[in-house]
Amino acid sequence: MKTILNKRWLTPSELEAEYGFSKSTQAKMRMASSSSNIPFSKIGKYVRYDRYAIDAWLEEHQVQGIAS
């Protein structure tokens, strides 16, 4: 049995539980036409998130703090 921590394809509920993005935020980010568009796949009528793509997307969108 796969646990959420070693499962590659996540449902919106699993993404919310593991990464903290609410389902409404996920929907807004999927519809965004900018670079803030979250990577996802549609499998039939189901939305799924590839853990590897999400991790890479988060790395690409890091905001660097200003050192004082």
Side-chain angles (χ1 to χ4, degrees), residues 28-45:
K28 290 174 190 168
M29 294 169 85
R30 285 194 308 268
M31 301 304 166
S33 60
S34 67
S35 65
S36 64
N37 175 297
I38 192 168
F40 72 99
S41 295
K42 286 274 300 221
I43 302 170
K45 65 179 182 176

Side-chain angles (χ1 to χ4, degrees), residues 13-68:
S13 295
E14 292 167 339
L15 186 76
E16 181 177 26
E18 189 165 338
Y19 290 87
F21 295 111
S22 71
K23 291 179 198 171
S24 64
T25 297
Q26 293 173 39
K28 290 174 190 168
M29 294 169 85
R30 285 194 308 268
M31 301 304 166
S33 60
S34 67
S35 65
S36 64
N37 175 297
I38 192 168
F40 72 99
S41 295
K42 286 274 300 221
I43 302 170
K45 65 179 182 176
Y46 301 103
V47 172
R48 294 293 181 262
Y49 297 95
D50 181 347
R51 173 187 306 280
Y52 303 136
I54 295 296
D55 288 341
W57 179 80
L58 287 170
E59 289 286 329
E60 291 171 13
H61 290 85
Q62 282 188 15
V63 177
Q64 299 298 320
I66 299 173
S68 42

